Amino acid sequence: MNWKLIGNIIGFLLVIILGVFIFGDSFQKQLTNVMNDIGQVDEIVVDGTTVFEGEQAKPYVEKNPVSFIMELSKKERKQFVNAPLYEIEYRIDGKKLYNVHILQWGGDEEEWQQWIAQHHLDDTIVSTYSFRKDGRPVVIYWPKNRYILWADTEATERLLEQLDE
């Protein structure tokens, strides 16, 4: 009887450990796919509408979409405007590689500076890897994994400028 209980406990622990490895490996695989395949993106869909295809899409695709990532908790997500400014999907041959939300900060400048300090982000990182729209800070958010993608933003900024014209 005791051996059966011990066996069940060991089996349960193995399932938990295996699940942790599979989940972690899955995220790493997704990230690697994005980094390896970003140069092949041939379609950009914004808010459900294809806006660029083929070679026209290339100038609006970040060459380095992830320099580092930062998890955004549900509580922190509430500090940004609830609805994303835009939902952008990057596709290769009609299949989604990944999608991002463009989130705008919901508070004032002082709260933004406090949030930056709380996360130990320096001004160089923030000015290099985020941008402003209508005078308010904007970040690129990977909703599937709940991460802010701190990365080059030039292509994304150009894309948003094109959408606003």
Side-chain angles (χ1 to χ4, degrees):
M1 182 81 158
N2 287 338
W3 288 108
K4 187 175 184 179
L5 179 62
I6 292 171
N8 286 339
I9 291 172
I10 291 173
F12 180 70
L13 291 174
L14 287 174
V15 167
I16 290 174
I17 292 170
L18 184 62
V20 168
F21 280 118
I22 289 172
F23 175 75
D25 191 40
S26 174
F27 171 71
Q28 189 66 30
K29 184 177 178 183
Q30 291 171 16
L31 192 57
T32 301
N33 286 343
V34 168
M35 297 300 289
N36 289 340
D37 297 341
I38 194 71
Q40 298 172 30
V41 168
D42 59 4
E43 183 181 5
I44 299 175
V45 177
V46 178
D47 296 333
T49 303
T50 298
V51 292
F52 293 106
E53 291 182 292
E55 288 301 312
Q56 291 180 332
K58 299 296 182 196
Y60 305 105
V61 177
E62 300 294 351
K63 291 177 181 32
N64 181 19
V66 181
S67 293
F68 65 95
I69 58 176
M70 182 182 95
E71 188 169 6
L72 192 65
S73 70
K74 287 182 181 181
K75 180 180 177 185
E76 290 174 315
R77 172 62 180 89
K78 291 178 182 178
Q79 293 175 297
F80 292 85
V81 175
N82 188 37
L85 290 176
Y86 299 97
E87 295 180 26
I88 304 171
E89 186 175 305
Y90 298 92
R91 295 180 180 178
I92 300 172
D93 297 327
K95 295 178 186 171
K96 180 173 75 170
L97 175 62
Y98 76 112
N99 68 305
V100 297
H101 288 176
I102 304 301
L103 299 183
Q104 190 169 38
W105 181 251
D108 62 23
E109 185 64 28
E110 184 177 318
E111 291 169 323
W112 173 247
Q113 293 302 325
Q114 289 172 353
W115 187 78
I116 290 169
Q118 175 187 356
H119 289 286
H120 309 290
L121 301 169
D122 65 33
D123 289 336
T124 305
I125 290 171
V126 172
S127 63
T128 303
Y129 299 134
S130 69
F131 57 98
R132 291 182 177 265
K133 182 152 175 43
D134 301 328
R136 298 177 80 188
V138 174
V139 296
I140 299 171
Y141 177 65
W142 195 2
K144 180 174 184 174
N145 296 298
R146 296 192 340 247
Y147 285 108
I148 292 178
L149 302 179
W150 296 102
D152 297 333
T153 60
E154 291 177 22
T156 304
E157 287 180 75
R158 281 193 308 271
L159 173 63
L160 297 183
E161 288 169 4
Q162 287 294 318
L163 296 173
D164 289 340
E165 289 183 357

